[in-house]
Amino acid sequence: MTDPDGHSAPKGLLLVGGTSDIGRAVAATYAARGWTVTLAARDAEGAERNADDIRTRSGAHQVAVQHLDILDTGSFEGFLDGLDTLPDTVVCVVGMLGDQSRAQEDTDHATTVMRTNFEGPALLLEMVAARFAARGHGLIVGVSSVAGDRGRASNYVYGAAKAGFTAYLSGLRNRLGKTDVHVATVKPGFVRTSMTADMDLIGPLTAEPDAVADRIAALETRPSDVVYVLGIWRLIMFIIRAIPETIFKKLSL
């Protein structure tokens, strides 16, 4: 795409989840590469702080903020119609770990966890996919979780929602497989963020937000369908999925 003066217009990224640590790292990586970046978040003030940080660190000025509540599904169409231009890439990093014990007793909390991790992102990306398909190209990246690979007692509400999101992305990828709209599923494993600040993370199994951002940005030139940010997680989850249910249900995981 070129402007009236014949200059190539920068590509555009829509980052959904603009206040998260991973989202900030992804946005900063794209901005540093000359992309225009739009941070979408329910907390617009928090997203603006991230935008200011990105502008300061990268020198990029084309970083904008848009309000978007991932639970307000009725607002999605108007949100997308209100963007200045349809982005080239949409990355959805929205996530809510929640509290498993609370979710077992509090239906409202369980509902919020499920809607935040599955319903909202899937419905939004479905609308994005329709627009990308009509245009003829685009990259959709959904950040899911290894927790969705098999349900565990310690986080099965969150894991079930992420499993749904993973299945959704797989189906969308299958539907668009013969077009130039690519759909990628990214499973970071443990990531050192504010969401995991209270967790006792295992060093070799834990990625930094910048590493997740680099793997996502690499999809622009090296498309891939399912990405485990740390390769060790692909092996770990292969083993966990292979454990017979009669044994698995007796484990404390």
Side-chain angles (χ1 to χ4, degrees):
M1 179 183 298
T2 58
D3 63 21
D5 297 324
H7 301 124
S8 296
K11 290 187 173 181
L13 167 72
L14 172 62
L15 191 291
V16 183
T19 56
S20 75
D21 295 320
I22 294 176
R24 180 177 57 190
V26 172
T29 298
Y30 275 79
R33 298 182 180 194
W35 286 54
T36 62
V37 173
T38 299
L39 302 178
R42 178 169 50 194
D43 178 7
E45 291 185 2
E48 187 59 47
R49 286 193 293 273
N50 277 349
D52 285 340
D53 180 69
I54 293 168
R55 296 182 191 110
T56 301
R57 291 174 183 271
S58 69
H61 299 290
Q62 295 179 311
V63 183
V65 171
Q66 292 281 346
H67 176 265
L68 175 68
D69 184 347
I70 202 64
L71 300 181
D72 185 8
T73 57
S75 70
F76 290 172
E77 186 169 4
F79 167 79
L80 292 172
D81 289 343
L83 297 175
D84 290 339
T85 59
L86 186 63
D88 296 274
T89 295
V90 173
V91 178
C92 180
V93 302
V94 171
M96 176 187 178
L97 189 57
D99 183 302
Q100 173 62 33
S101 297
R102 180 182 170 190
Q104 292 167 199
E105 301 177 352
D106 183 342
T107 301
D108 289 342
H109 182 64
T111 299
T112 300
V113 172
M114 291 179 179
R115 293 190 65 214
T116 301
N117 290 295
F118 172 52
E119 182 190 77
L123 293 177
L124 177 65
L125 294 185
E126 189 68 19
M127 293 182 184
V128 170
R131 285 163 169 75
F132 279 6
R135 182 180 61 188
H137 66 88
L139 172 62
I140 295 171
V141 181
V143 174
S144 190
S145 172
V146 297
D149 285 14
R150 190 166 191 180
R152 295 181 292 118
S154 58
N155 68 348
Y156 64 82
V157 173
Y158 170 79
K162 285 297 190 182
F165 190 45
T166 296
Y168 166 76
L169 293 168
S170 176
L172 184 63
R173 180 165 47 247
N174 182 237
R175 178 166 76 84
L176 299 173
K178 295 180 181 179
T179 74
D180 287 330
V181 179
H182 186 68
V183 180
T185 306
V186 174
K187 301 181 182 182
F190 296 144
V191 183
R192 208 176 307 280
T193 67
S194 56
M195 192 167 79
T196 60
D198 295 331
M199 298 174 63
D200 187 16
L201 302 176
I202 302 172
L205 302 182
T206 305
E208 298 296 331
D210 286 344
V212 181
D214 288 343
R215 290 302 302 272
I216 290 175
L219 293 169
E220 298 293 342
T221 53
R222 299 193 303 275
S224 185
D225 297 326
V226 180
V227 175
Y228 287 82
V229 174
L230 297 179
I232 187 66
W233 277 107
R234 185 182 296 275
L235 175 61
I236 291 172
M237 299 317 299
F238 173 80
I239 293 171
I240 289 178
R241 288 195 303 270
I243 298 174
E245 194 68 18
T246 53
I247 297 174
F248 190 79
K249 68 182 182 181
K250 297 177 181 177
L251 301 178
S252 299
L253 296 173

